[in-house]
């Protein structure tokens, strides 16, 4: 009887003390929109802000720290990076040797989305036209870290964006 109880206890212990679920049992769904608090390490400096993906090749970063960059918005849309702050706007990525950090991160994630079958244990190491990169997913299959071209972003407080559809296109005028 003691052996049966001991075996049952061992079976229950093994059942409930396994490793975290493998999020890559299938191909992870990376074609989603999201916003997250981001901590970006680049060239020995750290920049904080809100990183958002609103569609394929459509990204934005609203910088909150350091104070001198607070209010800067960096947008990457279909291969072009723009910077805007205090009503002024300029573009980047004007040559192959001038690539913005946001472009590196966005293109790494988009390449990972295109090659989602290559994830192992929540991580994909791959190479695109900008060089080697790594994308790491959390236990829910959402991006947790992206490392590309010497730029590393850690994401937290991630929320998946949902597009709200209107019920109708009627316009009602009130007098």
């Amino acid at each position: 009887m003691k052996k049966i109880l001991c075996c049952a206890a061992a079976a229950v212990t093994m059942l409930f003390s396994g490793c975290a679920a493998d999020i890559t049992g299938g191909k992870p769904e990376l074609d989603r929109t999201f916003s997250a608090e981001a901590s970006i390490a680049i060239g020995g400096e750290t920049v904080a802000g809100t990183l958002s993906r609103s569609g394929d090749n459509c990204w934005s970063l609203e910088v909150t720290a350091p104070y001198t960059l607070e209010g800067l918005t960096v947008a990457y849309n279909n291969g072009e990076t723009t910077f805007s702050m205090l009503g002024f706007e300029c573009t980047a990525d004007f040559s192959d040797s001038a690539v913005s950090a946001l472009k590196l991160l966005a293109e790494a994630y988009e390449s990972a989305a295109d090659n989602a079958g290559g994830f192992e244990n929540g991580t994909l190491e791959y190479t695109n036209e900008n060089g080697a990169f790594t994308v790491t997913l959390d236990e829910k299959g959402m991006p947790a870290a992206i490392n590309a071209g010497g730029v590393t972003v850690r994401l937290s407080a991630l929320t998946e964006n949902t597009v709200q559809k209107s019920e109708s296109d009627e316009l009602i005028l009130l007098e």
Side-chain angles (χ1 to χ4, degrees):
M1 184 66 160
K2 288 181 183 179
K3 287 183 182 181
I4 293 173
L5 289 175
C6 202
C7 288
V12 169
T13 301
M14 288 190 299
L15 178 67
F16 290 110
S17 65
C19 296
D22 183 13
I23 60 171
T24 60
K27 184 176 169 181
E29 176 58 46
L30 298 179
D31 191 26
R32 55 178 71 178
T33 60
F34 60 85
S35 293
E37 295 304 312
S39 175
I40 302 171
I42 180 169
E45 300 294 328
T46 302
V47 175
T50 302
L51 180 68
S52 300
R53 180 179 188 261
S54 56
D56 290 348
N57 295 304
C58 190
W59 293 72
S60 67
L61 172 66
E62 295 176 12
V63 179
T64 57
Y67 178 76
T68 53
L69 295 177
E70 186 177 348
L72 173 67
T73 299
V74 184
Y76 175 75
N77 293 309
N78 298 315
E80 182 178 279
T81 305
T82 57
F83 297 90
S84 59
M85 184 175 191
L86 301 173
F88 295 98
E89 187 171 293
C90 66
T91 60
D93 309 324
F94 45 84
S95 73
D96 290 340
S97 60
V99 178
S100 71
L102 185 58
K103 179 178 181 172
L104 289 172
L105 297 171
E107 289 186 352
Y109 185 86
E110 298 297 339
S111 292
D114 293 341
N115 298 287
F119 274 87
E120 292 183 21
N121 298 321
T123 301
L124 173 70
E125 294 179 359
Y126 203 73
T127 302
N128 64 11
E129 64 274 2
N130 298 318
F133 68 86
T134 305
V135 175
T136 305
L137 305 177
D138 65 13
E139 63 278 351
K140 296 177 184 174
M142 298 295 281
I146 304 170
N147 186 333
V151 179
T152 302
V153 62
R154 303 238 181 264
L155 302 172
S156 61
L158 195 127
T159 57
E160 190 168 1
N161 299 337
T162 57
V163 178
Q164 296 179 358
K165 296 180 181 177
S166 62
E167 295 287 328
S168 69
D169 292 327
E170 291 181 14
L171 178 62
I172 301 172
L173 298 175
L174 301 175
E175 293 182 3

